[in-house]
Amino acid sequence: PSSSSSTPGAEHREKQYRVHPGFGDRRDRVTSARTYFYADEAKCDQHMETFLRCIDASGDSSENGFSAIKLTALGRPQFLLQFSEVLVKWRRFFHQMAAEQGQAGRAALEMKLEVEKLQEALVRLGIATKTESQHWFTGENLGMSGTVDLLDWNSLIDSRTKLSKLLVVPNRQTGQLEPLLSHFTEEEDLQMKRMLQRMDVLAKRATEKGVRLMVDAEQSYFQPAISRLTLEMQRRFNSNRAIIFNTYQCYLKEAYDNVTVDVELSRREGWHFGTKLVRGAYMEQERERAAQIGYEDPINPTYEKTNEMYHRLGTASFFLLPHQTWAQAASPHSPVLSYRCLNYILEEIKHHQKASVMVASHNEDTVKFTLRRMMELGIHPSEKKVCFGQLLGMCDQITFPLGQAGFPVYKYVPYGPVNEVLPYLSRRAQENRGFMQRANRERDLLWREVKRRLLAGSLFGPSH
C-alpha cells in the first residue's frame, strides 16, 4: 500500500508498524539482501515456484542441502506488519504485568506471573471478567505451576486456541482498551491464508527432498510475524530432525531473548530447534527509519555490542590451517571467551541434542570461537549439528580449511539477473575492508596446500 490511510484505525497503530511512504522502497540503503515487493497473488505464486526449483536443485545435487526463502516473497507484507504489531503489543503487555508484580528487569524467561494476581489485574483493567480470566488460566492450558511465563502467555494468542479474537489490551498512551487483532477484510484474510499455504507447500517439498529450509530474516517491523510463522512450521515439520531453520539477527537488541524463548518452546514441545545466526543486513535503513518516524532504534548501538550478542570476543591465537586435524585446531591456549546467542545454542546441542545451528559469518573470530566451544563441549563435527556458511566467492580462506577438517560448511549461492545479484555481492566488499589483505592471505594458504599435496603425491586425491 502507498499510505497508512488505507488501513482502518491506522492512526492508532504503533509508529514502527505503520506503513510509511518514505520507506516504501525497502531496497533503499540495503545492498545486502534480496527484497521482494508485493504485486499480486500471481507474482507470489511465481516466487513460490522459483523456491521450489531451488529446493529441487539442492536436493538433487547434495545430501543435507539448504535452500533459503523469504516470507515477503510469499504474500502481502501488510499482513506481516499487522501481525508483528499484535505480537509485540501482547509481549509488552506481559512485561507491563510483570513490572506490576515487581519483576521488571529480569530476563524474559525468568519472569513468572502469579496467576491469581494476573487474573485480578485483567479484571481490574476491564480486559476480562472473572469467569473468563479463570477459564484462560486453567491447568489444562498452562499446567499446574500457579504461575504464567512468557511461553504460557504467548499460547493465548496461538492460532490453535481461538482466544485471540477475544483479547484486548490497554493502550498506554490513551488509557483505553483496544482490540489486539485488527479485523482483516475478507480479501486480506484470503491473502493471509494463501501465504500460509505457500509456506506449507515449500516445507513439504523440502521434507520430501531432504533439504533444510532456511527462512531468512527481514526488517525488524516484519520480523516478529516472520519468526512466529516459522515457529509454526518448526512445530509441524521438525519432529524428527531440524528441517525448518529460523534466522536470528544478532544486531537486534532483543536477539538473545528471542533465541532463549524459542529454544525453551522447542524443549517443552519436543521438536528440533534449527537456527541460522547472522549479524544482520538492514542496519542503516533500520536506524534511519526509526529516527525519521520516531520510535526506539531496534539495533544494538555499536558493532562491539552486536559481537557481544552473537558472542563476546576475547583473544584467540589460532586459525585452522589445511593440514591441521580437528583436535589440533580446536585446542588453542587462550582465555575462556564469554558469549551469548551462539554459546546458548551450542550448550543446547550439547545437553539436549535437539538443536542445529548454521554459523553464517565471514568473521574469522566467530569461526574461531565456535571451534573452541565445540571442542570444550565435546561436539564433534561428524555430528553435523553445527555447520558454517559463507557467500560464494568470499572468504574461501575460511571455507576450504573448515571443509578439509571435516566440518559441514556451505557456500551461499545468490542467483538471478546480474543487476540484482551484484548489489548483493557489493556489500561483502564493504564489510571486508581488508579485502585485498584477506585475498592475499587466501592465496598464500591455498598455495601452501597445493605444495603440501604435491610433496605428498596427492594433488588430485582427498585431503588427509
Side-chain angles (χ1 to χ4, degrees):
S2 60
S3 73
S4 59
S5 60
S6 60
T7 306
E11 66 277 6
H12 299 302
R13 297 185 61 184
E14 296 197 12
K15 291 178 179 179
Q16 187 171 359
Y17 302 99
R18 293 180 194 169
V19 174
H20 191 283
F23 293 87
D25 184 347
R26 298 194 307 279
R27 296 169 300 186
D28 192 30
R29 290 172 296 281
V30 175
T31 59
S32 56
R34 176 74 166 90
T35 302
Y36 291 88
F37 293 92
Y38 181 81
D40 51 40
E41 294 298 300
K43 191 68 176 175
C44 293
D45 286 333
Q46 289 177 23
H47 292 151
M48 182 186 72
E49 291 299 326
T50 299
F51 291 150
L52 286 171
R53 289 197 298 274
C54 290
I55 292 169
D56 290 344
S58 181
D60 293 340
S61 62
S62 64
E63 292 184 9
N64 298 314
F66 279 97
S67 188
I69 66 170
K70 284 203 165 183
L71 293 200
T72 52
L74 299 175
R76 195 178 186 199
Q78 172 94 3
F79 159 67
L80 296 173
L81 271 178
Q82 289 175 283
F83 190 29
S84 290
E85 183 182 28
V86 166
L87 295 169
V88 168
K89 278 185 176 179
W90 189 238
R91 187 162 176 163
R92 283 181 188 162
F93 186 28
F94 174 84
H95 285 286
Q96 182 183 329
M97 295 293 98
E100 286 191 9
Q101 294 193 18
Q103 299 190 44
R106 291 190 183 181
L109 283 176
E110 292 175 5
M111 293 180 177
K112 299 186 186 297
L113 308 184
E114 293 181 35
V115 170
E116 289 187 9
K117 289 182 180 178
L118 176 59
Q119 289 172 335
E120 291 170 4
L122 293 174
V123 172
R124 185 180 71 251
L125 291 167
I127 288 171
T129 66
K130 188 172 183 179
T131 302
E132 286 172 335
S133 180
Q134 289 172 342
H135 176 68
W136 290 354
F137 301 104
T138 62
E140 179 185 350
N141 286 340
L142 307 174
M144 302 302 292
S145 64
T147 61
V148 174
D149 67 11
L150 184 58
L151 293 179
D152 298 325
W153 183 255
N154 285 343
S155 73
L156 293 177
I157 54 169
D158 193 301
S159 58
R160 298 171 296 181
T161 67
K162 306 303 182 188
L163 280 176
S164 56
K165 293 176 183 175
L166 306 175
L167 296 174
V168 292
V169 293
N171 182 312
R172 289 179 296 176
Q173 279 74 39
T174 65
Q176 301 296 311
L177 294 177
E178 295 178 356
L180 189 66
L181 283 177
S182 305
H183 290 292
F184 287 141
T185 65
E186 187 174 343
E187 177 57 29
E188 286 172 336
D189 196 47
L190 284 172
Q191 290 169 353
M192 176 185 71
K193 288 175 180 175
R194 290 188 196 112
M195 176 185 281
L196 299 176
Q197 287 167 355
R198 293 180 188 110
M199 291 170 64
D200 186 67
V201 168
L202 293 171
K204 285 178 177 174
R205 181 71 67 87
T207 303
E208 291 167 6
K209 290 282 187 176
V211 172
R212 288 166 291 179
L213 201 61
M214 295 187 298
V215 181
D216 276 349
E218 305 195 46
Q219 285 93 341
S220 63
Y221 38 96
F222 297 130
Q223 196 54 44
I226 290 170
S227 289
R228 184 58 179 264
L229 295 174
T230 304
L231 274 177
E232 289 300 322
M233 287 203 291
Q234 289 179 313
R235 281 170 153 166
R236 293 179 53 206
F237 294 96
N238 286 11
S239 55
N240 298 318
R241 62 182 292 235
I243 292 288
I244 308 299
F245 277 56
N246 201 357
T247 302
Y248 295 86
Q249 300 172 102
C250 293
Y251 70 5
L252 294 178
K253 295 173 182 175
E254 59 185 22
Y256 183 73
D257 277 353
N258 291 341
V259 168
T260 56
V261 167
D262 292 350
V263 167
E264 177 61 23
L265 180 65
S266 72
R267 284 183 203 152
R268 292 188 190 181
E269 297 185 344
W271 43 270
H272 289 250
F273 180 80
T275 180
K276 179 175 72 168
L277 286 184
V278 300
R279 277 184 167 76
Y282 304 94
M283 181 173 68
E284 185 180 350
Q285 186 190 75
E286 291 271 16
R287 285 193 167 145
E288 183 165 344
R289 189 177 189 273
Q292 187 168 327
I293 301 176
Y295 58 86
E296 183 185 351
D297 183 357
I299 308 295
N300 282 313
T302 64
Y303 183 78
E304 288 70 29
K305 286 290 184 184
T306 296
N307 280 339
E308 287 178 20
M309 188 66 80
Y310 204 128
H311 63 91
R312 290 196 181 113
L313 294 175
T315 60
S317 57
F318 79 100
F319 184 74
L320 182 58
L321 297 174
H323 61 277
Q324 288 180 294
T325 66
W326 149 247
Q328 289 173 321
S331 56
H333 301 289
S334 56
V336 175
L337 300 173
S338 53
Y339 39 77
R340 293 206 81 179
C341 292
L342 178 53
N343 186 73
Y344 186 87
I345 295 168
L346 293 175
E347 293 269 5
E348 180 68 14
I349 291 169
K350 168 64 177 176
H351 297 299
H352 295 94
Q353 295 293 310
K354 281 194 168 185
S356 299
V357 61
M358 170 176 272
V359 180
S361 177
H362 291 160
N363 186 293
E364 290 184 13
D365 291 314
T366 298
V367 174
K368 294 172 185 176
F369 172 82
T370 309
L371 297 175
R372 170 99 183 262
R373 286 302 289 149
M374 287 176 70
M375 186 62 185
E376 290 170 349
L377 293 168
I379 302 170
H380 198 273
S382 63
E383 297 175 35
K384 298 186 177 180
K385 296 286 188 180
V386 181
C387 60
F388 298 85
Q390 288 89 42
L391 192 70
L392 181 68
M394 296 296 292
C395 291
D396 289 345
Q397 79 277 11
I398 293 177
T399 312
F400 291 168
L402 284 173
Q404 289 175 335
F407 291 87
V409 59
Y410 293 82
K411 282 300 197 184
Y412 198 98
V413 184
Y415 59 90
V418 171
N419 64 326
E420 292 183 7
V421 174
L422 280 180
Y424 179 85
L425 294 172
S426 70
R427 180 203 178 200
R428 270 58 201 184
Q430 295 168 17
E431 283 180 334
N432 296 282
R433 293 182 180 179
F435 176 75
M436 290 310 297
Q437 181 182 351
R438 286 185 175 87
N440 289 335
R441 182 181 179 187
E442 178 178 344
R443 181 198 61 197
D444 293 342
L445 287 170
L446 293 175
W447 180 238
R448 185 187 309 174
E449 175 64 4
V450 167
K451 288 192 289 186
R452 186 191 69 80
R453 290 192 181 193
L454 281 169
L455 291 172
S458 59
L459 180 60
F460 301 106
S463 177
H464 297 290

